[in-house]
Each structure stands twice: as structure tokens, then as C-alpha cells.
Amino acid sequence: LGVAIYDISDPSQPQNLKMVEFDGSLVSSRLVNGNLHIVQQYLPELPQLELWYDGADNDPQEVADTNMQALAGLTLEDLMPSYEILVADGQEPTTQLLVAPQNCYYPVTMDGGGSVTTVVSFDLADPELSFSSVGIVSDAHIVYASTRALYITTHSYLQELDDDSTPSQQAVIYKFDLTGDQVQCVGGGGIDGWILNQFSLGEHNDVLRVA
């Protein structure tokens, strides 16, 4: 995923101010009060893991131990997305973590998937065009934004213990506050069913309404 920012004050000679490439793929973007918010999703590359299923000859505990050994050598840097600035006043490209580990949230009560979704925010009034970022361990399917908040939703299945039961569908929603100096994840929750698209959400008086 790449973001190129141009100065088009002179349309006949657009000037490339900065180009940034992120690990991952674009989910959506929003321009709110002069700030450009890029929502991107990154799936870490993991070592090849062994699989176990009912009826297999291998021992599930041995499979788990083998997989844990394969994962033990990974570092946070291996699991987090990075970025590279390609154009910035002729400087050499630099590669750094897109989001600091302390700015990445891990939901403990909801299963929204194993991707790292990042909200990258550019202040377009900043001459340096610097950006801030916040992340969450979750997939991202739908993005909705008001003037005060950005919401990311994903779909999840809840499987009951009874093998004959049908998994129930759940929409997981995370809220990011846009009113501060830096975007922050301020909460999340789940509702039964599926959200169709971004037009199925609306915010009024700080209350999110979902169809």
C-alpha cells in the first residue's frame, strides 16, 4: 500500500511532497477536519505450522509443542507492519515499524481475526506531513467515520460447544476517537448478525446506530 501526497497549488506543475509505502493492503480512507486517516490491514507471515484434527494419528499436544517451538523465534518486529518513506527532500529511504507495540491493542474478549489493522493519520496542515498511527489485532471489513470518531467492523462466528449447533454470526465493532492530538482506540463491542456496508452505520450525539 502506498500513499503519495502532491502539492497541486500550481496544477500545471504538481509537486510530489512525500511518498510512503506500508506493509499490508488498503481497507479504506477518510478525510476528516484536515486529517487523512488511512485504514490498512496486515497479515503477519508465520512459519509453516503443523495441523491436527480429530481422527489424526499425531498427538495434539505434540503438535502444539512443535508449533510453539516454531513460533518461539519470532520477535515483535516480525509480527508488526513496517513503512518506508520513498520521497522526502531527496533523503535516503528509511524503513521503520508502522505502529509502535505500545500503540497496538489486543482485544481479550472478542475474536475479530488475526490481522493487524492500523489507522495511519496524516495532518495535511503539517509542513513536514508527519503521521501518527495506532493498531489493533483484528481484521477490518467495514469502515465508517463521523467528524468525531472512526469505527472499524469485522465479522466473526461464535461456535457453541455442541458439535451439532450452527455457529452464530456476530459483528465486532471498534471505536477510534478522532478528537485528540492522536487517534486512540477507546472501546469495542459485538452485536448479533452482520452489517451490510458503511451506510448501515450512523452516529448521532455520540451514539452509534447500526442496522
Side-chain angles (χ1 to χ4, degrees), residues 3-202:
V3 175
I5 301 177
Y6 285 83
D7 178 358
I8 57 172
S9 55
D10 182 357
S12 65
Q13 294 181 331
Q15 181 182 1
N16 186 198
L17 300 179
K18 179 175 286 190
M19 183 176 294
V20 186
E21 285 193 352
F22 309 116
D23 289 340
S25 58
L26 176 68
V27 178
S28 191
S29 63
R30 295 292 187 275
L31 181 61
V32 181
N33 297 326
N35 293 304
L36 175 62
H37 304 288
I38 307 291
V39 180
Q40 65 93 29
Q41 181 173 287
Y42 170 72
L43 186 63
E45 295 185 8
L46 300 178
Q48 183 68 40
L49 303 178
E50 293 190 25
L51 301 178
W52 178 88
Y53 55 90
D54 289 336
D57 294 333
N58 48 358
D59 179 64
Q61 186 59 52
E62 291 181 358
V63 172
D65 292 341
T66 300
N67 289 338
M68 289 301 294
Q69 291 177 3
L71 297 172
L74 296 177
T75 65
L76 278 176
E77 286 72 17
D78 297 324
L79 302 174
M80 303 292 288
S82 299
Y83 75 92
E84 184 177 54
I85 298 177
L86 301 181
V87 176
D89 298 327
Q91 298 177 5
E92 291 295 325
T94 57
T95 301
Q96 300 181 43
L97 286 182
L98 178 58
V99 57
Q102 63 268 24
N103 293 329
C104 188
Y105 296 82
Y106 173 68
V108 296
T109 59
M110 293 169 290
D111 181 13
S115 302
V116 177
T117 294
T118 306
V119 180
V120 181
S121 303
F122 289 86
D123 180 359
L124 300 184
D126 177 10
E128 299 297 327
L129 292 172
S130 58
F131 65 83
S132 60
S133 59
V134 61
I136 189 168
V137 180
S138 173
D139 298 338
H141 295 142
I142 297 173
V143 174
Y144 164 76
S146 68
T147 58
R148 298 178 57 83
L150 183 143
Y151 298 88
I152 294 175
T153 79
T154 186
H155 299 145
S156 177
Y157 281 106
L158 299 178
Q159 176 69 60
E160 302 295 337
L161 295 178
D162 184 359
D163 292 338
D164 296 329
S165 66
T166 301
S168 61
Q169 303 171 355
Q170 186 181 56
V172 180
I173 306 172
Y174 299 107
K175 178 180 180 180
F176 294 81
D177 181 16
L178 303 181
T179 62
D181 294 334
Q182 183 170 342
V183 176
Q184 291 186 337
C185 182
V186 293
I191 57 176
D192 291 338
W194 292 78
I195 301 174
L196 181 60
N197 54 40
Q198 63 175 323
F199 303 107
S200 301
L201 300 99

